[in-house]
Amino acid sequence: MSSTLERQLGTIHADSLHPLAGTRRHFFGRSAVGLGSIAFTTALMGDNATSAAPSATPSVGGAIETLHVPARAKRVIYLFQSGAPSQLDLFDYKPLLNTKHGEELPEAIRRGQRLTTMTASQASIPLAGSAFKFAQHGESRAWVSDLMPYTAKMVDGLCFVKSMYTDAINHDPAITFFQTGSQIAGRPSMGAWVSYGLGTLNANLPSFVVLVSAGPRGQPLYSRLWGNGFLDSRYQGVRLRAGKEAVLYLTNPSGVTGSNRREMLDTLAALNHLQYQKELDPEIESRIAQYEMAYRMQTSVPEVTDMSDESESTFKLYGEDSKQPGTYAANCLLARRLAERGVRFIQLYHQGWDQHGNLPNEIRVQARETDQASSALLTDLKQRGLLDDTLVIWGGEFGRTPYSQGKLTRTDYGRDHHPRCFTVWLAGAGIQQGLTYGQTDEYGYNIVNADGAPMNPTKDRFQTGAVHVHDLQATMLHLLGIDHRQLNYKFQGRRFRLTDVHGEVVHDLIT
């Protein structure tokens, strides 16, 4: 028997003399952590302790013991386009806007709906036609502008949802709402909920990893967007950074060897176990688990972030930017590598889509940075057999208005925030291919039904043809095998869930 196990067994034996040892709560609490720690340490000492490959065992550590529905997806890659891409310049073709360029938005279309403070004071809100050419592509005949030539080639494998809508009209609450299900900060993020519910597929890497495109641009992003909220801290997202040190302070300091660190962690774990047995605070167990994860990540993270084993043809597929760490293209390639290794939820953030002015010039930059890499990710996943059980989501926090904010010319305009309708696309596990779901009116202002009549959807009552943020979240969880109504967590006397008290699975999006 190893000295580590002897020490832990001794700790359990000594704790049996605890004055409260006879209480049922303390008995089960101590037994769980004591025996669990033995098994955990044994696993660490085995071959998997330094291996970067995913474990052959099924998912472990999740709150859900049996999936609620058959899972179509094992993992999610969410390509979040922060700042809100203009659907009217990318995917939602509205020729009427070009015909009526410069004319006022009709009040019959607006119907007194809320505007942001950035355009509410404008004397005029003139319609702005897109500066870009649109064409239909593939057998599905989906509309895509010339800004997205690579995405255009993939349309028969995509599902465009043109009738997304949200509650928030400003960036921070809107991004927070998409990522956590609430406009108010403090709730667990989507990745944290998935990690909590399903556990991990690879004990050597975090189940939830975050990648942010390098460089200051656009709306700020905060770590709370991938935080654990009131869930256990082990479920928070781990951000991998560009550069020499993907995770800060992961490497051993000068003069500290691997054996030194192992001995320190064993001693620290024993002390933390003693503290847990006195206080029964689950965060103490989480602290132990996070220390151990960091130890294993010393091997697994450098392996997964080292792109030297990728072929030139792969770099060519993703584009020249993929050779530059921290770019969106490099992060898409890294997302594939993480997916291969069993990471459950991979969240990419790409900023810079907030184009209130100078949109034609700025959106060209964003499209160039993201179009090829997003398409390449799908191609790469498919050729490796991963797309069948990987759900990929692309989109921002809301849409853009059909009218111009600020000065309007034939070649220059800006678009304000528009929560009432916008476009996202989905691909992969269980998603209908070559489908365009939902539609907007000829001005691109309101969601309409099949007859062209405004729908006025609300999150309180699901309507076919419209998709609320909570509906998208519920559908994502469903594809992972989770009933969104059953994945909940009791906190301060109330049971919380990602979709709050709303959300419907949009079965029309699923095969």
Side-chain angles (χ1 to χ4, degrees):
M1 182 182 296
S2 73
S3 59
T4 301
L5 293 183
E6 287 175 336
R7 286 198 302 272
Q8 291 188 334
L9 284 172
T11 300
I12 296 170
H13 175 73
D15 191 60
S16 65
L17 301 178
H18 191 287
L20 295 178
T23 69
R24 187 171 184 270
R25 179 185 178 209
H26 277 71
F27 171 78
F28 285 112
R30 291 195 314 277
S31 298
V33 70
L35 298 177
S37 65
I38 294 172
F40 187 53
T41 304
T42 303
L44 286 176
M45 296 171 65
D47 293 337
N48 285 336
T50 57
S51 171
S55 170
T57 59
S59 175
V60 294
I64 299 173
E65 296 182 1
T66 304
L67 292 177
H68 305 139
V69 295
R72 308 293 296 276
K74 289 183 179 179
R75 67 195 69 81
V76 176
I77 301 177
Y78 197 147
L79 309 175
F80 193 79
Q81 311 302 314
S82 178
S86 169
Q87 76 281 9
L88 298 169
D89 295 283
L90 297 175
F91 306 119
D92 202 4
Y93 180 44
K94 299 299 173 188
L96 183 68
L97 296 182
N98 291 81
T99 302
K100 293 183 175 291
H101 187 85
E103 296 182 20
E104 289 293 300
L105 174 70
E107 182 55 39
I109 299 299
R110 180 188 164 193
R111 294 178 296 159
Q113 292 166 4
R114 177 187 178 191
L115 305 179
T116 73
T117 55
M118 291 173 283
T119 54
S121 59
Q122 286 187 189
S124 172
I125 46 175
L127 297 169
S130 178
F132 306 100
K133 295 180 180 179
F134 279 76
Q136 290 178 288
H137 298 270
E139 294 182 5
S140 60
R141 310 306 295 154
W143 289 99
V144 181
S145 82
D146 56 9
L147 284 169
M148 294 283 193
Y150 289 92
T151 302
K153 297 176 183 178
M154 304 294 292
V155 294
D156 287 338
L158 305 181
C159 174
F160 290 98
V161 179
K162 293 190 175 180
S163 54
M164 280 296 308
Y165 69 103
T166 185
D167 295 358
I169 199 170
N170 290 312
H171 291 287
D172 189 78
I175 295 173
T176 304
F177 190 49
F178 246 104
Q179 302 302 303
T180 72
S182 172
Q183 295 185 54
I184 300 173
R187 300 281 184 88
S189 58
M190 284 192 290
W193 277 113
V194 171
S195 180
Y196 163 68
L198 295 180
T200 182
L201 290 166
N202 183 349
N204 299 317
L205 285 168
S207 59
F208 177 20
V209 171
V210 177
L211 307 169
V212 180
S213 297
R217 58 170 85 196
Q219 293 296 320
L221 297 171
Y222 308 99
S223 59
R224 60 176 168 77
L225 295 173
W226 51 89
N228 57 295
F230 45 70
L231 295 177
D232 197 295
S233 60
R234 73 182 74 187
Y235 303 120
Q236 66 187 321
V238 174
R239 179 178 174 183
L240 300 188
R241 301 167 184 267
K244 185 177 180 181
E245 211 170 350
V247 179
L248 297 179
Y249 314 116
L250 188 63
T251 57
N252 291 330
S254 177
V256 176
T257 66
S259 59
N260 293 153
R261 190 178 182 93
R262 180 68 267 166
E263 186 176 358
M264 181 271 290
L265 289 175
D266 289 342
T267 303
L268 191 59
L271 292 172
N272 278 324
H273 281 315
L274 287 173
Q275 185 181 4
Y276 175 82
Q277 289 158 0
K278 291 179 180 180
E279 301 179 13
L280 295 180
D281 181 357
E283 273 299 314
I284 297 172
E285 289 186 289
S286 294
R287 191 181 308 137
I288 297 169
Q290 288 168 331
Y291 288 154
E292 296 292 354
M293 172 60 76
Y295 178 72
R296 299 194 299 280
M297 284 166 58
Q298 286 186 317
T299 301
S300 62
V301 167
E303 186 277 334
V304 75
T305 57
D306 181 4
M307 304 283 195
S308 61
D309 59 345
E310 295 291 345
S311 66
E312 278 301 314
S313 61
T314 298
F315 287 119
K316 184 177 180 180
L317 176 67
Y318 282 86
E320 194 63 27
D321 284 355
S322 62
K323 295 182 178 180
Q324 180 63 40
T327 61
Y328 179 81
N331 285 345
C332 281
L333 177 52
L334 182 53
R336 188 268 288 164
R337 293 174 64 87
L338 291 165
E340 282 182 309
R341 289 156 177 78
V343 174
R344 180 73 75 177
F345 201 99
I346 305 159
Q347 175 82 64
L348 275 68
Y349 291 94
H350 185 73
Q351 298 161 276
W353 293 96
D354 188 25
Q355 288 131 11
H356 291 271
N358 195 26
L359 183 148
N361 289 327
E362 291 185 5
I363 200 171
R364 284 188 177 95
V365 176
Q366 298 304 106
R368 187 201 65 79
E369 291 177 337
T370 60
D371 176 40
Q372 181 176 355
S374 298
S375 171
L377 175 61
L378 297 179
T379 300
D380 204 4
L381 290 170
K382 185 174 182 179
Q383 66 190 14
R384 293 169 187 269
L386 289 168
L387 191 58
D388 288 342
D389 56 11
T390 302
L391 174 63
V392 182
I393 306 172
W394 185 102
E397 63 267 35
F398 41 59
R400 290 284 164 178
T401 58
Y403 57 81
S404 179
Q405 178 184 339
K407 184 179 179 181
L408 172 66
T409 71
R410 271 292 172 186
T411 58
D412 191 20
Y413 54 88
R415 298 193 190 276
D416 202 356
H417 309 164
H418 194 60
R420 293 194 61 81
C421 54
F422 57 104
T423 301
V424 303
W425 61 250
L426 303 93
I431 291 294
Q432 292 271 13
Q433 297 184 34
L435 174 67
T436 294
Y437 184 82
Q439 59 184 350
T440 60
D441 61 30
E442 57 185 354
Y443 290 89
Y445 197 90
N446 296 295
I447 297 172
V448 296
N449 62 21
D451 297 323
M455 292 180 60
N456 300 317
T458 71
K459 63 183 178 183
D460 302 307
R461 181 173 60 89
F462 177 74
Q463 292 179 266
T464 299
V467 181
H468 185 264
V469 171
H470 286 319
D471 300 331
L472 181 65
Q473 293 164 339
T475 304
M476 177 195 73
L477 293 176
H478 178 85
L479 289 167
L480 288 165
I482 301 171
D483 183 337
H484 69 106
R485 298 164 297 186
Q486 296 186 51
L487 180 63
N488 54 63
Y489 187 89
K490 191 173 183 179
F491 177 68
Q492 294 185 343
R494 178 193 163 185
R495 292 197 176 276
F496 289 86
R497 70 189 202 206
L498 174 61
T499 54
D500 197 43
V501 296
H502 306 286
E504 294 287 340
V505 177
V506 188
H507 290 282
D508 288 341
L509 306 182
I510 301 172
T511 55

